[in-house]
């Protein structure tokens, strides 16, 4: 629910290019629970649509506390970006002792065999996107607050690609693996 609140803002700012070359990099500041009301914001982008650029993004709880902050970009190559999270990581002092998570270098491959991802509009257990995302696509689309017609099979035919696109909150479940 929360990631999809950025979608209309980023489509307005960057156009369809955000789905093609866009990225979002955020750092969570305070916890947020499923279906908790939040508001998404982005800084004012360049007026030139299609121009490579980066904007600040943030999300707030209803009481104004910051949920997350970061950057979103379109059209930039990794070597041309300096995201807020990259800057935070560079400024972080090494930790002595054990960590809950182990930092792995960019490009590290999982030891698990990669699995094919099957996304369908079916509403049975076999169409759950991943164990990290325990919803079917149909269930998720029923609760997304900022619905984009392109997310549905029927509305997808009006997308620039002529088919449905996956809502952003499904992406990280796929990228994190099964």
């Amino acid at each position: 629910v929360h990631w999809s609140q950025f979608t209309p803002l980023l489509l307005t700012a960057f156009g369809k290019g955000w789905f093609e070359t866009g990225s979002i990099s955020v750092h969570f500041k305070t916890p947020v629970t499923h279906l908790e009301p939040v508001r998404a914001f982005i800084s004012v982008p360049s007026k030139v649509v299609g121009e490579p650029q980066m904007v600040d993004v943030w999300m707030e709880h209803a009481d104004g506390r910051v949920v997350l902050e970061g950057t979103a970009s379109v059209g930039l190559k990794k070597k041309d970006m300096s995201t807020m999270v990259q800057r935070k990581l560079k400024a972080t002092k090494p930790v002595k002792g054990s960590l809950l998570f182990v930092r792995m270098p960019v490009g590290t491959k999982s030891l698990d065999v990669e699995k094919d991802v099957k996304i369908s509009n079916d509403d049975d257990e076999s169409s759950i996107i991943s164990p990290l995302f325990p919803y079917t696509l149909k269930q998720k689309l029923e609760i997304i607050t900022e619905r984009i017609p392109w997310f549905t099979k029927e509305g997808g035919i009006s997308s620039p690609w002529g088919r449905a696109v996956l809502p952003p909150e499904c992406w990280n479940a796929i990228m994190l693996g099964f």
Side-chain angles (χ1 to χ4, degrees), residues 89 92-104:
L89 285 173
T92 302
K93 296 178 183 174
V95 177
K96 294 179 181 175
S98 300
L99 291 173
L100 179 61
F101 296 100
V102 175
R103 293 188 196 272
M104 302 301 283

Side-chain angles (χ1 to χ4, degrees), residues 6-77:
F6 283 112
T7 305
L9 299 173
L10 295 167
L11 281 172
T12 299
F14 300 142
K16 73 178 183 104
W18 190 75
F19 275 99
E20 296 170 341
T21 65
S23 70
I24 188 165
S25 176
V26 300
H27 173 74
F28 282 84
K29 308 280 281 176
T30 58
V32 63
T33 59
H34 183 60
L35 298 179
E36 181 179 350
V38 295
R39 296 175 299 206
F41 301 89
I42 68 170
S43 61
V44 179
S46 164
K47 293 189 187 306
V48 183
V49 175
E51 175 181 283
Q53 58 184 305
M54 184 176 292
V55 295
D56 292 325
V57 298
W58 67 99
M59 185 173 280
E60 297 177 355
H61 291 276
D63 64 8
R65 288 177 298 130
V66 175
V67 172
L68 62 83
E69 58 186 9
T71 52
S73 67
V74 68
L76 294 172
K77 304 287 186 218

